[in-house]
Amino acid sequence: MSDYLPAEVILEILKRLPIKSLVKCRSVCKTWNSLICNPSFISTHLQASLSEPNNTPFILLRCFKKGKENYFLHYDNDDFDEFKQLQFPVFGCLSCSAAVGSCHGLVCLTFLPQDVLNFIFWNPSIQKYITLPQPNICCYTDDVRLNFGFGFDSRTNDYKLLIVGVEKGETLIEPYLFSLNENCWKRVTPASPKYAVEAGISSTFVNGALHWLGYQRGKNGGFSNAILGFDLSSEEFLEISLPETLVWLCPMDLSTMRYGESSIAVLKRDWEDGELFELWVMKEYGVVESWTKVLALHLIDQSGWFPRVLGFRKNGEVLLQVDDGEMASLDLNCQQMEPHGVEVGAELLYVGSYVESLVLLDKAVDVRSVSDAIHAIDSSDSDESSEGECEIT
């Protein structure tokens, strides 16, 4: 076909193809393989996918079924249809994973064997992953609490992972940042934030920054809360004030989540009377005056099982886990709950937006995957590895 069509036309055709077709197209010829694996094309294809107005977005669900870790993609449509189940690779002897976050088709996983930190960037659409060098940081003692955040730096076209935490007595640990482009960890040189974050709380990535619920403990034992942010481009911390009614609460009763395409929301839980939860959204990112309470609701079903708030869907509805593992959506306007008939079990551990991409296709990575990975990756890739330690500078 290249003998009859200009290269520009071929490029326009290829960047509109789905991931599965593009992986197959790599076998057509060396020219096409080189084009599809080019970082510029990978970025162009991703941006085309993100800007396509008719694309139905995906929701990524991670849960345990029959003792096994499972990942599913569902359409973010009225019926919440399942698109496909993702095949989970065999990551050597690592086990006990936790999802740090997902961005542009990459899923960041951490594995917690003994007292070391292991991280993996995994693209399930093309069945590729890389093992990150281990950070030289003390972890998993009784005196240390760590938290992680994963996102994308649009200025440098780079994927970054941040470690923040506190030691006993709430002394802040110097943050560490990993860059995929540089394949290395470094200490974050700007002043450490004055706010601490609870260990094990997922970060919210939006507007190029990671966000957590941050807190300070006062001399009287009380708390002062705010949104703690970290801009991945400037590599600086930022602070966003909360509504006054949320500032002095116990931080364990608050959590952040993504709202729409470019802002954040805060969930408040009150355990004293059944379960009362409030949702506050920042209608305009960074504008404190735009905080708005969109919902205050008692949630308890007849079985006595408390629904879990998972996040917002594209249509503005709230996605819930109810009835000990069923998915449902809550319409904020009429406050009606609509079950989806999707059973994921009680141990749903992660939910997030997802877009299929070619990210990592140009990287030298290990591939030790499930049986069909060989159809997605050239065998030559499996001889290369990014494992090893990288000294922090």
Side-chain angles (χ1 to χ4, degrees):
M1 184 166 62
S2 59
D3 295 334
Y4 303 98
L5 294 176
E8 295 79 5
V9 175
I10 294 177
L11 177 62
E12 287 297 314
I13 294 173
L14 290 178
K15 78 177 186 180
R16 288 169 170 79
L17 293 180
I19 297 299
K20 185 176 181 180
S21 299
L22 282 171
V23 170
K24 293 180 179 179
C25 286
R26 293 178 61 197
S27 303
V28 172
C29 62
K30 291 182 179 180
T31 300
W32 281 28
N33 179 63
S34 177
L35 187 154
I36 294 170
C37 292
N38 187 285
S40 177
F41 177 81
I42 292 172
S43 179
T44 298
H45 183 270
L46 174 62
Q47 294 306 315
S49 298
L50 294 173
S51 60
E52 174 56 52
N54 296 323
N55 275 357
T56 301
F58 295 118
I59 293 177
L60 175 66
L61 302 179
R62 173 182 181 264
C63 60
F64 275 88
K65 288 186 176 182
K66 299 180 180 180
K68 295 183 179 181
E69 192 169 355
N70 296 275
Y71 287 80
F72 299 87
L73 286 181
H74 283 258
Y75 288 107
D76 193 1
N77 57 14
D78 292 339
D79 296 325
F80 204 69
D81 300 318
E82 181 179 317
F83 173 58
K84 65 180 177 181
Q85 180 176 355
L86 302 174
Q87 294 182 320
F88 191 59
V90 179
F91 296 118
C93 60
L94 299 177
S95 59
C96 302
S97 69
V100 176
S102 65
C103 180
H104 295 173
L106 284 190
V107 180
C108 177
L109 301 173
T110 180
F111 296 80
L112 316 175
Q114 300 179 353
D115 59 349
V116 297
L117 284 172
N118 292 286
F119 295 99
I120 281 174
F121 288 172
W122 170 46
N123 185 335
S125 299
I126 58 175
Q127 282 299 336
K128 273 206 167 189
Y129 73 87
I130 65 168
T131 303
L132 275 58
Q134 291 181 354
N136 183 21
I137 181 173
C138 176
C139 63
Y140 301 111
T141 69
D142 293 338
D143 296 335
V144 176
R145 305 195 309 270
L146 299 179
N147 215 315
F148 317 116
F150 171 65
F152 178 68
D153 177 0
S154 60
R155 187 173 67 184
T156 59
N157 196 34
D158 194 7
Y159 295 87
K160 296 180 177 180
L161 172 64
L162 180 72
I163 300 177
V164 294
V166 295
E167 293 181 298
K168 189 175 182 179
E170 299 187 355
T171 301
L172 299 177
I173 294 174
E174 191 172 22
Y176 289 81
L177 186 68
F178 175 81
S179 161
L180 179 59
N181 285 351
E182 298 176 5
N183 192 37
C184 194
W185 293 91
K186 68 177 181 180
R187 294 183 178 91
V188 177
T189 53
S192 298
K194 60 183 179 180
Y195 288 93
V197 295
E198 283 292 321
I201 304 300
S202 299
S203 65
T204 299
F205 176 68
V206 67
N207 267 3
L210 301 166
H211 304 82
W212 293 270
L213 194 287
Y215 68 91
Q216 291 177 296
R217 191 185 293 272
K219 295 181 180 180
N220 61 353
F223 295 97
S224 174
N225 303 311
I227 301 294
L228 173 65
F230 182 80
D231 188 298
L232 290 178
S233 293
S234 66
E235 298 185 356
E236 295 179 343
F237 286 95
L238 56 94
E239 177 185 331
I240 299 176
S241 298
L242 288 168
E244 185 68 21
T245 186
L246 304 181
V247 171
W248 311 110
L249 300 178
C250 174
M252 294 183 65
D253 293 337
L254 302 173
S255 58
T256 64
M257 61 185 63
R258 185 185 181 98
Y259 175 68
E261 295 299 319
S262 59
S263 198
I264 53 178
V266 172
L267 171 67
K268 170 193 171 185
R269 291 178 294 269
D270 186 345
W271 308 97
E272 293 184 359
D273 183 16
E275 182 179 14
L276 170 68
F277 83 80
E278 295 180 354
L279 269 176
W280 291 77
V281 301
M282 181 171 262
K283 294 295 185 69
E284 186 176 350
Y285 181 80
V287 179
V288 176
E289 294 76 17
S290 70
W291 280 113
T292 305
K293 183 166 67 173
V294 296
L295 186 66
L297 189 66
H298 282 275
L299 279 183
I300 183 169
D301 60 24
Q302 294 180 353
S303 67
W305 196 84
F306 296 129
R308 176 185 173 191
V309 180
L310 303 173
F312 287 88
R313 302 184 61 183
K314 187 176 182 180
N315 61 8
E317 294 179 349
V318 180
L319 187 63
L320 303 171
Q321 183 182 7
V322 300
D323 295 331
D324 202 20
E326 184 179 2
M327 308 298 293
S329 290
L330 177 68
D331 189 315
L332 291 176
N333 295 320
C334 62
Q335 297 192 13
Q336 293 296 313
M337 193 180 302
E338 180 70 26
H340 296 301
V342 177
E343 297 285 347
V344 293
E347 296 186 39
L348 174 66
L349 300 179
Y350 180 79
V351 60
S353 60
Y354 188 85
V355 58
E356 292 193 301
S357 78
L358 295 169
V359 177
L360 288 189
L361 192 62
D362 60 323
K363 303 296 182 183
V365 301
D366 268 345
V367 177
R368 294 190 300 271
S369 186
V370 287
S371 58
D372 72 337
I374 192 65
H375 300 297
I377 309 298
D378 287 339
S379 59
S380 59
D381 290 340
S382 62
D383 296 328
E384 301 179 51
S385 172
S386 63
E387 294 180 354
E389 291 195 14
C390 180
E391 183 179 354
I392 301 174
T393 58

